[in-house]
């Protein structure tokens, strides 16, 4: 009986696995994952990307809460917040006024993603805060849009195609 139960369990696991060469896509969008992290942590996101974590599809999201950085992982299949942590200072690419810019931005990152997707008719694959020429921008990588990369001014929301970057 134990062997039969084990065989049934193994067969069920194999049936649940994708076929070789089959592409498995996240069920949750980047915008949904960012909105989940922002609302559950009471923080403002400033960077988000799809990643694999020990074989699981996740969105890695960097946020700021009360002036301090927070990192979150959101499961790309279920939309659940999997983990949150405080990053080590040595790993932080954005500090000081960058975190303040993210926390005081007029739009949340999830609102910015929705705005960009509506304007470009593409899907945001990755988005991150950076500083250029004394201003803060979100650099956005898109899928299915005419322009594959755009800059979004954090303050004004102006969208500019990135050419040859």
């Amino acid at each position: 009986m134990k062997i039969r139960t084990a065989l049934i369990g193994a067969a069920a696991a194999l049936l649940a696995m994708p076929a070789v060469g089959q592409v498995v896509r996240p069920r949750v969008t980047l915008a949904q994952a960012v909105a989940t992290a922002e609302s559950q942590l009471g923080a403002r996101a400033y960077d988000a990307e799809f990643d694999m974590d020990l074989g699981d599809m996740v969105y890695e999201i960097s946020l700021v809460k009360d002036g301090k950085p927070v990192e979150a992982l959101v499961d790309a299949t279920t939309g659940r917040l999997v983990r949150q942590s405080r990053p080590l200072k040595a790993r932080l690419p954005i500090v000081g006024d960058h975190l303040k810019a993210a926390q005081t931005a007029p739009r949340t990152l999830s609102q910015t993603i929705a705005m960009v997707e509506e304007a470009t008719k593409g899907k945001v694959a990755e988005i991150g805060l950076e500083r250029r020429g004394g201003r803060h921008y979100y650099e956005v990588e898109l899928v299915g849009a005419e322009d594959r990369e755009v800059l979004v001014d954090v303050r004004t929301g102006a969208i500019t195609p990135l050419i040859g970057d």
Side-chain angles (χ1 to χ4, degrees), residues 114-124 142-146:
M115 178 186 73
V116 169
E117 289 181 343
E118 174 66 26
T120 64
K121 304 300 183 217
K123 286 289 185 189
V124 173
L142 294 158
V143 175
E146 185 177 323

Side-chain angles (χ1 to χ4, degrees), residues 33-48 59-74 81 83-87 92 94 98-100 102-103 108-110 127 129 138:
V34 169
T36 296
E38 287 177 331
S39 67
Q40 288 192 15
L41 298 177
R44 298 289 296 264
Y46 60 87
D47 191 275
Y59 290 106
E60 190 174 284
I61 303 166
S62 299
L63 305 100
V64 58
K65 181 176 182 176
D66 301 325
K68 295 187 179 359
V70 179
E71 289 184 353
L73 287 184
V74 174
L81 181 65
R83 183 171 55 233
Q84 68 179 13
S85 63
R86 296 268 182 197
L92 273 179
I94 299 175
H98 288 64
L99 292 175
K100 184 177 177 183
Q103 193 157 354
T108 64
L109 193 62
S110 53
I127 186 168
L129 182 66
Y138 291 115

Side-chain angles (χ1 to χ4, degrees), residues 6-83:
L7 288 174
I8 291 172
L14 283 173
L15 288 174
M17 291 175 62
V20 174
Q22 182 180 3
V23 177
V24 178
R25 290 195 167 87
R27 292 186 189 142
V28 176
T29 67
L30 182 71
Q32 291 168 326
V34 169
T36 296
E38 287 177 331
S39 67
Q40 288 192 15
L41 298 177
R44 298 289 296 264
Y46 60 87
D47 191 275
E49 65 182 292
F50 177 80
D51 202 2
M52 295 297 288
D53 182 51
L54 300 174
D56 294 325
M57 295 183 298
V58 295
Y59 290 106
E60 190 174 284
I61 303 166
S62 299
L63 305 100
V64 58
K65 181 176 182 176
D66 301 325
K68 295 187 179 359
V70 179
E71 289 184 353
L73 287 184
V74 174
D75 188 295
T77 303
T78 66
R80 285 186 15 253
L81 181 65
V82 177
R83 183 171 55 233

